[in-house]
Amino acid sequence: MAHNIMMPAFKVQRDEERCIRCGVCVRQCANNVHNLDEDGWMWVQDDKCVACHRCAVLCPTRALNIIEYPLDFRGNQHWTPASIREIYAQAQSGGVLLSGMGNPRTYKNYFDHLLINASQVTNPSIDPLREPMEMTTYLGNKNHHSCGEKPQLKLDIPLMFSAMSFGSVSINVHKSLAVAAKSLGTFWNTGEGGLHPDLLDFGRGAIVQVASGRFGVHPDYLDNSAAVEIKIGQGAKPGIGGHLPGEKVSQDVSLARMIPAWSDAISPAPHHDIYSIEDLAQLIETLKVATRFEKPIAVKVAAVHNITAIASGVVRAGADILVIDGFRGGTGAAPMRIRDNVGIPVEMALAQVDSRLRDEGIRSQTSLVISGGIRNSADVMKAIALGADAVYIATAALIALGCHMCQMCFTGLCNWGIATTRPDLTKRLNPHLGSERAINLLAAWKHEMMEMMGGMGINAIESLRGNRLMLRGIGLSKEELGLLGVKGVGE
Amino acid sequence: MKVVAWTEYCLGCGLCEIYCAAQHDGYNGNVLKIFKKGRPMHRSRLLKAEQGTWLNTCMHCTHAPCINGCISGAIKRDPNGIVYVDYERCVGCYSCVMLCPHGHVRPWSERHQVLKCDLCRDTGLPSCVANCPNGALQLVD
């Protein structure tokens, strides 16, 4: 192939007055952007920069800055620089464009069009620092009329860490989140890559996943868990499976996944034993029997067009917990076109599913958990008011661990030690610091949620659940307000 | 007290050496100034081997051979147990360099004296510990 006509995406700016040639940037960049030769000359290869900010953050003199490459195309509203660059990339490689993390496009974000209520005069607000505030949440089938009490997950906060498989993320991410979840009284999720032997002690605090590849699934894995989650789909790439490149399948990953080392780990698009709701019901029943009816079984689906009918079917198939993953949900790798163009916003899916399950009288048979792009405690409050029992976070947790959202997880060269299995990169995430940061994040969110609940005059998260009168829509059409089931501002 | 390196989480970035140099010789942590105007001399050294990288730093031994062997009484122990060099007294005989079983004491040929970790005893938390980006260094008793 002739000369690559693609110019760099980012430009590394080095302030020569500040650079002391210490070489920290050289040693820290796994993409080899920075090079220092014997004569003390720095040579920067902008082409390789992914804007992960590792060098800039560690530079002891703040000599580095990374900006978007300033070379402009002639202005064109239709042929944007991104769309031109994507064509250059495909013309060069002949391949599917890959990307990591969630859908970054400018679609409407319904969380940003919802406002939360507060008490004034007619009902008292509550001060969470002086009065008790109940955040405990139970997940599972609450319909105890048939067959007695069902297994429940007890959460001290209505937040859990979402599925990220070992292999797509490093062992130190799992260690950080497992420790944090235990300390916070909530749960983490193994993802579809099995459980690392080092984390057997944290299995009871984990929701273990059974996905289409069945990686790492064996009786002890199911036994040593808090709940089992069947992954049907993922918000970032609904309808397609996963592909963990062989480069990331190290010895450890191969042991946890029970596949040969350095071989590609391919999750099929469908489960080959599930082609109908009845098939799903069979697998749910099988897992319930395998876990002696002691653990709730969750089913995770991506938010897609006819999600309400799907949700109704999944609940009727016996799912104790229904997880809906919206199109902002992250991933280690997805075809960019799928990530950017498939699925629907989780806010809309949640409101519709909650209403549908209530209308059908089966809402009590399942707990609704949503995930996909939850950025802060206000998003959590809005999700709960729209009808969610709890919320999964993953991208926010990774950002707390150091992720800088460069979206290059699929390369396995994560400079922050997160989306990599290379030992020298993995060690960059110290799980002792990582767990502390994850605990801090969730503790901070809990404080904020208590403040917001207190403001609304609510002292138990249970009273907020599905309480859409606590929300008002702003800048939304009548139809959107109707679909979300909330009133407009001023109403 | 001593600084313990956690090899498992040492990145080998070298920031410990950089901040160590900047904390001494009156530069008070000003990295830019010591590297642009001064002569950066770090006390502890980052070692690289096949097994990984770690900061090789003074153990501040209870029975310190460097103190016993110093011909001019320049190496002293302060009330907190920190072993440090009194530069008024050091004559550069390098007995301590030869005696230290861990190779922590280094010659400072330019000044004909020696370099060793003093746990940043004038400023509080050792600079290497405070600035390690991955928590790989810990101050222990």
Side-chain angles (χ1 to χ4, degrees):
Chain A
M1 178 59 82
H3 185 66
N4 188 352
I5 57 175
M6 177 111 91
M7 289 295 282
F10 300 100
K11 185 180 171 71
V12 180
Q13 294 179 322
R14 180 182 303 278
D15 185 342
E16 284 299 332
E17 284 191 6
R18 284 176 163 239
C19 180
I20 56 171
R21 300 291 189 267
C22 63
V24 170
C25 50
V26 179
R27 291 189 286 275
Q28 288 295 296
C29 184
N31 297 306
N32 297 323
V33 171
H34 306 271
N35 299 278
L36 178 64
D37 71 13
E38 289 151 1
D39 301 327
W41 278 86
M42 291 295 310
W43 176 39
V44 174
Q45 292 174 287
D46 290 319
D47 311 63
K48 295 180 177 173
C49 181
V50 297
C52 74
H53 296 180
R54 180 76 184 179
C55 56
V57 171
L58 260 65
C59 176
T61 57
R62 293 278 178 265
L64 291 168
N65 187 29
I66 292 154
I67 58 167
E68 273 193 26
Y69 205 77
L71 183 66
D72 281 333
F73 289 95
R74 182 181 292 272
N76 189 323
Q77 290 295 316
H78 185 66
W79 290 100
T80 57
S83 55
I84 297 171
R85 292 177 57 82
E86 286 160 7
I87 289 179
Y88 287 154
Q90 288 192 301
Q92 182 78 15
S93 70
V96 173
L97 290 174
L98 284 180
S99 196
M101 306 314 283
N103 188 336
R105 300 271 284 263
T106 54
Y107 300 110
K108 191 176 237 173
N109 196 330
Y110 287 98
F111 282 129
D112 291 342
H113 290 271
L114 290 171
L115 296 171
I116 296 170
N117 191 29
S119 305
Q120 296 293 296
V121 183
T122 54
N123 53 340
S125 49
I126 300 167
D127 187 343
L129 295 174
R130 294 182 177 80
E131 293 176 66
M133 193 66 78
E134 187 58 63
M135 300 288 275
T136 309
T137 299
Y138 289 91
L139 299 182
N141 183 346
K142 309 285 194 303
N143 183 9
H144 300 315
H145 300 303
S146 61
C147 307
E149 284 206 9
K150 311 291 192 310
Q152 305 284 323
L153 285 187
K154 181 179 178 243
L155 277 62
D156 291 346
I157 42 170
L159 279 164
M160 297 184 290
F161 296 119
S162 189
M164 290 176 280
S165 67
F166 170 48
S168 74
V169 295
S170 69
I171 182 62
N172 286 344
V173 172
H174 269 197
K175 283 183 183 169
S176 303
L177 298 183
V179 173
K182 190 173 183 181
S183 153
L184 291 158
T186 182
F187 297 90
W188 65 290
N189 193 311
T190 59
E192 62 170 314
L195 187 66
H196 191 281
D198 284 3
L199 290 168
L200 288 178
D201 289 348
F202 292 96
R204 294 276 166 186
I207 297 173
V208 298
Q209 225 179 34
V210 174
S212 60
R214 299 286 198 275
F215 296 122
V217 178
H218 54 86
D220 293 342
Y221 171 73
L222 298 177
D223 249 357
N224 185 22
S225 71
V228 182
E229 181 176 282
I230 302 169
K231 177 193 166 190
I232 301 291
Q234 187 178 342
K237 42 183 175 182
I240 64 168
H243 180 165
L244 185 71
E247 294 83 18
K248 286 176 99 172
V249 184
S250 61
Q251 290 294 344
D252 271 7
V253 176
S254 90
L255 279 177
R257 290 200 179 221
M258 310 194 316
I259 55 168
W262 315 116
S263 66
D264 288 9
I266 296 174
S267 304
H271 286 246
H272 287 312
D273 53 356
I274 302 178
Y275 284 87
S276 64
I277 290 294
E278 290 76 14
D279 289 345
L280 175 65
Q282 264 187 7
L283 181 61
I284 293 174
E285 192 62 19
T286 307
L287 290 172
K288 282 185 178 174
V289 171
T291 53
R292 295 176 299 283
F293 296 90
E294 286 168 358
K295 300 176 200 297
I297 306 297
V299 174
K300 178 178 179 175
V301 291
V304 288
H305 297 176
N306 49 350
I307 184 68
T308 48
I310 295 166
S312 172
V314 170
V315 175
R316 286 168 199 280
D320 300 315
I321 301 167
L322 170 61
V323 183
I324 304 175
D325 194 14
F327 77 158
R328 298 281 181 192
T331 175
M336 191 190 282
R337 297 286 168 246
I338 305 266
R339 184 196 68 173
D340 293 359
N341 296 285
V342 180
I344 62 168
V346 74
E347 307 89 307
M348 211 48 109
L350 165 64
Q352 282 294 300
V353 167
D354 182 58
S355 301
R356 171 82 176 250
L357 298 183
R358 282 173 199 276
D359 291 347
E360 294 186 356
I362 53 174
R363 180 67 179 83
S364 64
Q365 291 179 26
T366 199
S367 289
L368 262 180
V369 176
I370 65 137
S371 58
I374 304 294
R375 298 158 299 175
N376 51 49
S377 56
D379 287 356
V380 180
M381 295 308 278
K382 290 169 189 175
I384 290 173
L386 281 174
D389 286 278
V391 168
Y392 260 142
I393 60 161
T395 303
L398 291 188
I399 293 173
L401 300 188
C403 169
H404 278 57
M405 295 291 287
C406 70
Q407 305 180 20
M408 300 302 274
C409 325
F410 59 93
T411 61
L413 293 175
C414 178
N415 271 319
W416 292 91
I418 294 170
T420 180
T421 52
R422 240 174 70 175
D424 60 321
L425 297 177
T426 298
K427 63 158 49 172
R428 294 185 182 186
L429 175 62
N430 180 343
H432 298 268
L433 299 185
S435 56
E436 199 181 311
R437 293 178 63 86
I439 291 167
N440 283 346
L441 177 77
L442 261 58
W445 284 20
K446 186 178 181 183
H447 282 305
E448 291 175 342
M449 287 161 67
M450 285 177 167
E451 288 288 348
M452 280 185 268
M453 279 166 58
M456 285 183 262
I458 287 175
N459 65 0
I461 196 85
E462 201 61 39
S463 314
L464 179 67
R465 193 155 291 130
N467 189 347
R468 298 190 201 175
L469 283 172
M470 288 296 148
L471 297 175
R472 290 289 186 275
I474 186 166
L476 296 175
S477 69
K478 257 205 154 59
E479 198 180 4
E480 288 168 318
L481 289 171
L483 288 169
L484 285 169
V486 299
K487 292 180 175 176
V489 279
E491 275 189 82
Chain B
M1 282 195 295
K2 62 186 170 190
V3 172
V4 173
W6 211 346
T7 314
E8 201 181 343
Y9 299 117
C10 175
L11 316 174
C13 66
L15 282 172
C16 44
E17 282 189 352
I18 294 164
Y19 284 102
C20 176
Q23 198 59 52
H24 292 95
D25 307 329
Y27 287 92
N28 203 23
N30 190 336
V31 176
L32 200 56
K33 189 176 175 191
I34 190 168
F35 276 83
K36 291 287 185 187
K37 305 270 184 205
R39 301 274 295 174
M41 295 305 295
H42 49 84
R43 271 54 179 170
S44 303
R45 272 182 304 168
L46 184 71
L47 297 188
K48 297 182 179 105
E50 245 177 53
Q51 304 91 317
T53 53
W54 69 97
L55 186 68
N56 187 30
T57 184
C58 178
M59 312 287 281
H60 299 272
C61 312
T62 315
H63 304 288
C66 56
I67 297 181
N68 295 339
C70 181
I71 61 165
S72 58
I75 302 193
K76 300 177 180 171
R77 186 187 300 279
D78 81 356
N80 295 322
I82 299 171
V83 178
Y84 68 101
V85 181
D86 179 351
Y87 287 110
E88 300 276 302
R89 288 177 159 240
C90 179
V91 293
C93 70
Y94 299 158
S95 303
C96 50
V97 177
M98 289 183 286
L99 284 164
C100 177
H102 306 288
H104 293 311
V105 191
R106 292 191 296 137
W108 188 355
S109 45
E110 190 183 307
R111 281 177 48 171
H112 203 68
Q113 285 181 321
V114 294
L115 287 162
K116 78 170 287 302
C117 167
D118 60 359
L119 285 181
C120 299
R121 63 191 196 101
D122 301 327
T123 49
L125 191 64
S127 197
C128 53
V129 177
N131 289 291
C132 176
N134 206 31
L137 296 172
Q138 277 184 328
L139 184 65
V140 297
D141 277 331

